Amino acid sequence: MSFIQIQCTRCKSVFRDRAGRLQDGYSRQCPSCEVVLFFAEDSQHPFVKRAMRNARKARKEQREAEAIRRVAPEPRAARSFAGRGRSVGRED
């Protein structure tokens, strides 16, 4: 999961939150000054706009990478079970 940097609108400190959480209607408290930040797509504050834009971009990149992983078959590696056989002299 990718993390997005968020700059507080009051104290200007920077903290991180997951991109999946940063969606319209999400609110988060700043760890430094404890002001509650509300994240909305139509926000006028540039710090909130930037965080929402970066989160949207990160979620899109993650979806694309997941789609590529699903389409491309994973190579099957030959498994070696050496040393994992049954013990001949072992009694339970």
Side-chain angles (χ1 to χ4, degrees):
M1 180 59 70
S2 58
F3 287 87
I4 302 300
Q5 288 191 340
I6 304 164
Q7 190 170 6
C8 179
T9 56
R10 186 169 115 189
C11 69
K12 310 298 188 254
S13 67
V14 178
F15 58 96
R16 299 179 335 156
D17 205 349
R18 294 180 188 227
R21 291 182 184 172
L22 245 61
Q23 294 183 7
D24 198 25
Y26 178 68
S27 61
R28 166 85 195 263
Q29 200 171 23
C30 173
S32 298
C33 68
E34 297 182 353
V35 69
V36 178
L37 301 171
F38 294 97
F39 296 93
E41 292 291 336
D42 58 349
S43 176
Q44 295 300 313
H45 204 284
F47 297 158
V48 175
K49 276 185 179 180
R50 182 183 324 130
M52 294 293 284
R53 184 174 50 246
N54 292 343
R56 198 176 319 115
K57 182 180 175 184
R59 286 192 306 267
K60 181 181 177 185
E61 289 172 356
Q62 189 174 12
R63 280 192 308 268
E64 289 172 353
E66 233 175 80
I68 290 171
R69 266 188 264 129
R70 283 188 199 138
V71 172
E74 293 183 19
R76 299 279 178 166
R79 292 186 180 179
S80 173
F81 291 102
R84 297 203 63 185
R86 296 176 80 180
S87 298
V88 177
R90 183 175 174 196
E91 293 180 23
D92 290 321

